Amino acid sequence: MEPHDPSPRLDAFTVDLRDVLDRNVASLYSHLVTRPTGRAVRLAIESQLRELGLPALSLVDLSSVAILDYSCADEVVAKLLLARRSPSAPHREVFFVFHGVREHHREPILEVLERHRLAAVTRAHDAGRDFELLGTVAPEEARIWARLQLLRRVPAPRIEEAFPDPTERLTLEGLAHRGLIFRHPTRGDLHALSSLL
Amino acid sequence: MRVVEVPDTLDYRSVDRLLASVEAAEGDRALLDARHLRWVDPVGMIGLLGAARVLRDRSGALPRLQPPESSVVSGYLTRMGFFEAATDLMETPPIRRRGGGDSDVLLELTTIAENHDVHAVVDRVQERAGAILSRTLRYPPSAVIQFAVILSEVCQNILEHADAPGWVAAQSYNWSRRLGRHVLILAVGDLGRGFKGSLASRHSSRFGERWSDATALEAAFIHGLTRFPDQGRGQGIQQMRKQVRRWDGVIAVRSGTARIADVPDWEDLPPLETNLPPMPGAQITILLPERLPEEGR
């Protein structure tokens, strides 16, 4: 990476769940329903993530998923994020953005995130809809995340200026730890995940 | 041969009468006398299959079904695929098998034995459910997807907890006299180990002597407990309850000798019943009423 290049080079990886479903589960399944189906899709995604250099950004695309039930949401969204917590997980440094989230996906996703006290960065399917933080998020986390979302990227030397309150910077640390924002591993710059797409 | 009389109405309210008759019938091979059957819904059909299983296991011989005299009822049972589902559970007279064409049935009695069956049911029901939910029940268009999710979760309950195959069936009815509205009835049942059996190894010790069909149902239905240690499990029933409540519907779970239910104002089922006649496995009943014009869309 060039010393003055502001954009970190994350391995970017788009997962179209429709493709994963077709290739790894069974082409006749047209919906993300049942736990075994969700598990098979998650394992396929994890297998592909093992090929990536770390850190990496994975865009999980739900645009073409018509029906998503709670069991599948638990496997494909919650368990994928939970695995980041494990030190042995192959994708602990993978950042996820769930893209193409339709209205009827929101409830299953929200439910499973809250059940596991997780949060995820999502982007709605509808045109004009922006990025959103879904799940278990404290009001302060939501506020700080939204501010970084507006700023998109804050170089390390300007973090104190952008977030003058020490508790805000502590909150940023927490968000980075949860994979909801990205901190450049060497330069320390902060990035909203949307700025990396 | 012992005669077990099938009530003339066999639905979610009267199925316990059939099970009580089954409990009382002992000994030899049984005759399930359904000649006077005038009305049957998906819950009644699955209840009849359960009754046959109990009789078969008790006597070691397939009970014989005396079919309804009413050609309307027999025709309906045929269209719903009842006689095919009953093949291994009772001896039925030769009945013309259902054709492959379209019918007014929302979802025929369909066996759920593996993951693939759930996908097939969700796929199959969508088109028919769309018309019934939007035109007949006046639900918003998004209800089709929410109904499919409920269907998926309720069928998975069989696969994850019963350790035995089960059935699902659905049909809408015009309850003009009873409620003045259309109602969709979704029934899922299995002949597996029931909620008490499924939860016993993991949860019975904390209940001690209180452990029963009723406490097992409360644990699963109210507290979302399952036999799996995984925190992500147990959401299915909770989410179904939430959605059914939004639609002002009934959701009832019957297992062993107990039934637990969420009941809206228009229905008078007790929230918890115990000491019911025993039934094998578990049965989940969902009633979704037509939305009243003043409830909006």
Side-chain angles (χ1 to χ4, degrees):
Chain A
M1 188 177 291
E2 295 299 320
H4 300 296
D5 180 0
S7 305
R9 283 190 194 147
L10 268 68
D11 262 9
F13 174 60
T14 299
V15 184
D16 182 335
L17 289 184
R18 174 79 248 173
D19 287 348
V20 176
L21 198 60
D22 282 351
R23 279 188 279 115
N24 296 280
V25 185
S27 57
L28 63 160
Y29 292 173
S30 54
H31 305 300
L32 269 181
V33 295
T34 78
R35 192 167 288 279
T37 302
R39 190 180 301 126
V41 167
R42 174 173 55 80
L43 292 174
I45 293 171
E46 288 178 345
S47 153
Q48 293 177 30
L49 291 176
R50 283 192 195 94
E51 309 298 319
L52 299 179
L54 295 175
L57 179 71
S58 178
L59 190 69
V60 180
D61 188 358
L62 290 111
S63 310
S64 54
V65 175
I67 298 177
L68 173 70
D69 73 6
Y70 294 89
S71 307
C72 251
D74 190 56
E75 289 289 336
V76 176
V77 178
K79 289 217 165 57
L80 212 48
L81 293 172
L82 278 171
R84 291 187 81 258
R85 291 178 179 172
S86 162
S88 59
H91 55 284
R92 64 190 179 282
E93 290 180 65
V94 178
F95 295 79
F96 292 96
V97 174
F98 295 90
H99 168 81
V101 175
R102 295 170 188 269
E103 196 53 40
H104 57 267
H105 298 143
R106 281 175 58 92
E107 185 161 336
I109 291 175
L110 198 54
E111 287 290 342
V112 301
L113 289 174
E114 288 182 345
R115 191 170 177 102
H116 292 281
R117 305 191 60 75
L118 290 166
V121 177
T122 65
R123 187 177 201 184
H125 176 77
D126 308 332
R129 296 291 295 272
D130 216 338
F131 292 87
E132 191 179 4
L133 198 52
L134 278 186
T136 303
V137 187
E140 178 69 357
E141 286 180 306
R143 191 177 67 79
I144 298 297
W145 181 88
R147 196 195 302 174
L148 183 61
Q149 185 66 24
L150 281 175
L151 297 169
R152 293 179 57 78
R153 181 182 77 91
V154 180
R158 302 189 61 182
I159 291 175
E160 276 198 37
E161 182 188 330
F163 297 93
D165 188 331
T167 61
E168 292 180 334
R169 297 197 292 277
L170 207 59
T171 302
L172 284 166
E173 286 304 316
L175 290 170
H177 181 69
R178 297 180 74 186
L180 302 171
I181 61 174
F182 175 70
R183 180 188 283 282
H184 192 284
T186 53
R187 286 206 305 267
D189 300 351
L190 291 173
H191 297 258
L193 296 189
S194 58
S195 73
L196 303 172
L197 296 172
Chain B
M1 189 175 272
R2 291 273 176 180
V3 177
V4 175
E5 195 162 332
V6 177
D8 58 359
T9 295
L10 190 56
D11 62 7
Y12 74 101
R13 297 176 76 91
S14 57
V15 74
D16 289 330
R17 277 169 50 205
L18 171 66
L19 294 168
S21 303
V22 167
E23 190 183 15
E26 290 180 359
D28 301 337
R29 186 180 180 203
L31 174 77
L32 277 161
D33 183 0
R35 283 176 302 157
H36 305 299
L37 185 61
R38 291 281 178 272
W39 175 263
V40 60
D41 74 2
V43 185
M45 277 179 246
I46 293 175
L48 192 52
L49 295 172
R53 215 298 286 275
V54 173
L55 292 167
R56 183 197 70 180
D57 290 355
R58 192 183 295 159
S59 71
L62 287 183
R64 201 173 118 207
L65 178 74
Q66 189 75 37
E69 289 172 347
S70 162
S71 58
V72 174
V73 177
S74 282
Y76 179 60
L77 288 173
T78 303
R79 289 205 306 286
M80 286 295 281
F82 174 81
F83 297 105
E84 283 150 300
T87 304
D88 295 331
L89 295 168
M90 63 183 94
E91 184 187 308
T92 62
I95 302 269
R96 189 168 56 85
R97 300 296 182 205
R98 65 178 151 157
D102 287 341
S103 77
D104 60 343
V105 172
L106 173 55
L107 180 63
E108 296 85 356
L109 210 49
T110 305
T111 302
I112 303 295
E114 51 188 78
N115 187 40
H116 172 71
D117 297 327
V118 183
H119 280 270
V121 162
V122 169
D123 282 344
R124 193 182 318 151
V125 84
Q126 278 213 63
E127 197 176 321
R128 296 176 188 177
I132 288 171
L133 290 168
S134 61
R135 287 183 217 148
T136 309
L137 301 188
R138 304 184 213 208
Y139 288 8
S142 59
V144 180
I145 290 173
Q146 289 155 339
F147 181 74
V149 169
I150 284 184
L151 193 58
S152 165
E153 296 290 350
V154 80
C155 290
Q156 286 179 74
N157 197 70
I158 296 172
L159 300 178
E160 299 212 334
H161 302 288
D163 274 353
W167 300 275
V168 59
Q171 177 73 67
S172 67
Y173 300 95
N174 186 357
W175 281 7
S176 53
R177 270 189 298 182
R178 206 179 133 209
L179 191 63
R181 295 194 252 175
H182 287 85
V183 171
L184 186 154
I185 301 182
L186 170 66
V188 175
D190 64 73
L191 306 179
R193 55 187 168 166
F195 277 73
K196 187 180 165 195
S198 174
L199 298 181
S201 61
R202 190 165 169 77
H203 299 292
S204 62
S205 57
R206 83 171 71 165
F207 289 88
E209 290 182 359
R210 287 179 51 240
W211 183 243
S212 65
D213 288 315
T215 48
L217 282 178
E218 284 177 328
F221 193 76
I222 295 172
H223 304 296
L225 300 185
T226 77
R227 67 189 167 106
F228 299 102
D230 179 347
Q231 200 189 347
R233 301 297 186 104
Q235 294 180 84
I237 288 183
Q238 302 309 313
Q239 299 312 324
M240 283 190 274
R241 289 180 67 200
K242 193 188 283 187
Q243 186 58 54
V244 170
R245 214 177 295 136
R246 284 182 195 142
W247 285 332
D248 195 33
V250 175
I251 178 167
V253 185
R254 172 84 160 84
S255 184
T257 57
R259 178 191 290 113
I260 195 164
D262 280 339
V263 186
D265 293 342
W266 56 266
E267 174 60 69
D268 58 3
L269 273 180
L272 181 67
E273 290 173 274
T274 56
N275 299 318
L276 296 172
M279 68 164 282
Q283 188 160 23
I284 300 180
T285 301
I286 293 175
L287 309 182
L288 302 178
E290 177 184 347
R291 185 170 278 203
L292 296 169
E294 62 265 28
E295 289 174 325
R297 293 178 73 88

